[in-house]
Amino acid sequence: MPRSFDHEHIRFWTHARRRRQSQLVLALIVGLAAGAVAVLFEHGLEYAESLRFTLLGALAGNPLRWFIVPLLCGIAGATARMITGAWAPEASGSGIPHVKGVLLGLRSLKKRIIPVKFIGGMLAIGAGFSLGREGPTVQMGAVAGLAVAQMLKTPRRYRPQLIAAGAGAGLAAAFNAPLAGFVFVLEELQREMSPYTYGTALAATVVSDIVTRTFLGQFPSFRITGIPIPPLGHLSLFLLLGLLCGLLGTLFNRGLPAAMTAMQRIPGPMWVKAGFVGVAVGVMALVFPCATGGGQRIAETILQGRAGALLSTVPFATGLLGFLALLLAGKFLLTLFSYAAGVPGGIFAPLLVIGSVTGALFGGVADLVAPGLAAHPEAFGVLGMAALFSAVVRSPLTGVVLILEMTGSHELLFALIVTAMTAYFVADFLGTKPIYEALLDRDLRRSDPSRNDDPDDPLLISMAVEPFSAMEGRRVKDLGLPKGCLLITITRAGRELIPDGGTVLKGGDQLTILTSGTCPIPDIRHKGQFGGELS
């Protein structure tokens, strides 16, 4: 073997090891920062929600509650939207589409998102808007990743990995689910399996979860026990529930942008419209309190098989199945319009509530049709959460891992996979975009009216040349890049090169490729022509 070959590879491995070690140290700091923000946000939301519950209890039976509660909720909603629109419009809603846009190089990330998201989220979610803390925690975690990178003067080309790691750390901290946060980075944000990406993401999510467990406890998000392994004879029920959640997820993915468009078309400033939504939320808090807020306690009660205990909160409900049907409709609609109001808040938690209600309702109906067929209807609530998440977000692996970590129901692993994949395929077959992709595209088209859904819109893609892969040692002109793909730069041992046709690729090179939406790089990679990894 030539000495030059040995020298080149020794230099590559030395540089790669040092970079990996540096990234891991940075990831630990990012995990600490994201975990700290998540813990503070959780305590802030608990305080805000406790104020709402205290107010509702103090006004119970008082006729003035029909004026005071909607008024205060309307003020909270209007204030949340006002500070968001004035200081950080990108902090509205979930924030996950914005993070995806940042990682694609289409959006910028600003540090002021954290205080705006924090205060706006406390106001809106605390007032009872049907939104969750998880999306905001993901976005604030991403900002924490950027802040750490900037503070420690990390080169710009390495910052996307820290931003993605911070986002995953935020999800891990919000759900007490480090593996789900890690998978979320790979499946939804980066879609890359290089050692730098998954090492950074895993380190950050684990550290953030340690912070969360230290201050909030080690229990799963949903404490449920006693669900046995479902028999294989229930396979048809898993498929039917997956079909139902796929259809419901498709309806949600079409309904949410439609609600946002309808809200935009109503004349008047957005903060006024958010205030009116807050008034409606206040009325709902008096009439149907189970449909308001993030709903984690409601979902936990359903998954524990104690949904009957909630009937007393809705005197007009006719039986358990009637109550679940009303809760499904109320939570679904309130989530759409809460998000359309443009206040900070995510859809993760409401989706899990809707999924649990859908599954429990399905299990109850199955048991009614064939007594004894669904001995544990609450088990279908667990399956419904993973299935609806997969149908809406289109990240089935994240959904399955997330529900496993949140519930500890490892006995349901097979059923979770079957139900989630069925829902995924049904939603995909019906042609709707994944919700975060649809929301990002909508935001880009609003900021640039000339933008359309042309698949030829250019994107920047990062690709790593793995050592000893098919790409190593080949000239650029021999790669056979498809039409619409252009290799722009090569980063080698910390230096950036401008390639030409005769440039020879080496293991460890980081390639930046400008590509149209029709460039089939992933297909070529899977055929083995390339040995790199796409981000």
Side-chain angles (χ1 to χ4, degrees):
M1 184 178 293
R3 292 182 59 85
S4 60
F5 181 84
D6 291 338
H7 175 73
E8 287 292 336
H9 280 78
I10 289 173
R11 187 171 68 174
F12 161 71
W13 287 116
T14 301
H15 173 74
R17 184 176 65 254
R18 289 175 179 172
R19 180 191 164 193
R20 184 166 59 248
Q21 291 171 348
S22 174
Q23 286 288 94
L24 287 176
V25 171
L26 291 172
L28 298 178
I29 300 173
V30 169
L32 285 171
V37 171
V39 169
L40 291 174
F41 191 49
E42 171 71 9
H43 282 306
L45 289 180
E46 287 182 354
Y47 175 73
E49 291 186 330
S50 69
L51 290 179
R52 184 174 88 245
F53 295 141
T54 300
L55 177 65
L56 291 173
L59 294 176
N62 190 328
L64 290 176
R65 69 186 186 278
W66 295 101
F67 171 77
I68 296 176
V69 174
L71 175 64
L72 292 179
C73 291
I75 292 174
T79 305
R81 175 57 202 179
M82 190 180 299
I83 63 176
T84 302
W87 288 306
E90 61 271 30
S92 65
S94 165
I96 295 178
H98 177 251
V99 173
K100 288 174 66 71
V102 170
L103 294 174
L104 289 171
L106 303 172
R107 284 289 182 261
S108 61
L109 204 56
K110 301 174 183 177
K111 296 176 185 176
R112 62 173 177 262
I113 288 176
I114 289 183
V116 172
K117 201 86 173 182
F118 197 103
I119 298 172
M122 282 183 58
L123 287 169
I125 302 173
F129 280 68
S130 183
L131 300 169
R133 71 181 188 276
E134 298 77 17
T137 308
V138 168
Q139 189 180 27
M140 289 190 290
V143 177
L146 176 64
V148 169
Q150 291 177 338
M151 181 178 63
L152 299 179
K153 299 180 180 180
T154 304
R156 288 184 178 272
R157 58 183 173 275
Y158 300 144
R159 291 181 183 179
Q161 293 168 335
L162 294 176
I163 292 172
L171 181 64
F175 285 118
N176 211 357
L179 189 55
F182 167 69
V183 174
F184 180 73
V185 172
L186 302 183
E187 190 176 29
E188 180 66 20
L189 298 180
Q190 287 280 82
R191 299 187 179 181
E192 181 190 358
M193 282 296 289
S194 73
Y196 304 113
T197 296
Y198 65 69
T200 303
L202 187 58
T205 54
V206 170
V207 171
S208 70
D209 190 56
I210 291 174
V211 175
T212 303
R213 290 172 184 265
T214 300
F215 292 96
L216 301 179
Q218 296 201 66
F219 295 103
S221 295
F222 298 124
R223 305 180 191 182
I224 59 177
T225 58
I227 298 179
I229 298 176
L232 192 59
H234 285 182
L235 181 61
S236 59
L237 294 178
F238 305 154
L239 295 173
L240 283 174
L241 179 58
L243 172 63
L244 176 62
C245 289
L247 295 173
L248 187 62
T250 300
L251 180 62
F252 186 90
N253 284 13
R254 291 178 177 170
L256 188 59
M260 296 173 71
T261 300
M263 188 70 71
Q264 291 290 337
R265 289 177 177 173
I266 297 175
M270 275 300 299
W271 67 268
V272 173
K273 290 179 276 189
F276 278 111
V277 173
V279 170
V281 168
V283 173
M284 187 69 81
L286 296 170
V287 177
F288 199 179
C290 291
T292 60
Q296 179 169 326
R297 295 174 184 173
I298 303 300
E300 185 174 38
T301 301
I302 293 171
L303 297 179
Q304 291 173 345
R306 300 187 297 108
L310 301 172
L311 286 174
S312 60
T313 63
V314 190
F316 52 85
T318 55
L320 179 58
L321 294 182
F323 166 77
L324 291 175
L326 284 173
L327 180 56
L328 175 60
K331 191 68 177 177
F332 190 96
L333 292 174
L334 191 61
T335 300
L336 296 185
F337 287 100
S338 293
Y339 196 92
V343 296
I347 59 173
F348 264 46
L351 280 180
L352 297 181
V353 177
I354 295 170
S356 67
V357 174
T358 302
L361 183 60
F362 176 85
V365 171
D367 188 57
L368 187 65
V369 172
L373 182 61
H376 295 273
E378 62 272 17
F380 290 95
V382 177
L383 303 182
M385 290 195 297
L388 188 64
F389 181 91
S390 299
V392 172
V393 181
R394 237 42 81 71
S395 297
L397 182 57
T398 301
V400 170
V401 173
L402 177 64
I403 301 308
L404 281 178
E405 288 192 287
M406 291 183 67
T407 64
S409 302
H410 301 285
E411 301 85 358
L412 298 176
L413 176 58
F414 172 73
L416 282 168
I417 294 173
V418 171
T419 311
M421 291 306 300
T422 302
Y424 172 86
F425 286 127
V426 169
D428 197 55
F429 178 78
L430 293 175
T432 55
K433 289 184 177 180
I435 190 61
Y436 295 130
E437 181 181 328
L439 292 176
L440 174 60
D441 184 69
R442 183 182 184 277
D443 178 60
L444 293 173
R445 283 189 282 109
R446 284 190 62 220
S447 59
D448 180 10
S450 64
R451 179 184 173 87
N452 53 37
D453 293 327
D454 187 351
D456 290 326
D457 285 348
L459 291 175
L460 284 176
I461 295 178
S462 296
M463 174 183 285
V465 179
E466 300 294 343
F468 311 110
S469 67
M471 290 181 71
E472 187 178 23
R474 301 181 67 175
R475 295 178 299 179
V476 171
K477 66 180 181 182
D478 297 329
L479 292 177
L481 286 174
K483 181 180 179 181
C485 298
L486 179 64
L487 177 58
I488 300 176
T489 62
I490 298 175
T491 302
R492 177 178 298 164
R495 295 184 297 114
E496 288 194 353
L497 310 175
I498 305 299
D500 56 33
T503 303
V504 178
L505 300 182
K506 297 181 180 181
D509 284 350
Q510 296 287 329
L511 312 182
T512 301
I513 298 175
L514 183 65
T515 171
S516 69
T518 57
C519 179
I521 285 186
D523 295 334
I524 292 175
R525 181 187 65 181
H526 293 154
K527 291 176 183 177
Q529 182 171 349
F530 291 160
E533 295 291 344
L534 295 180
S535 62

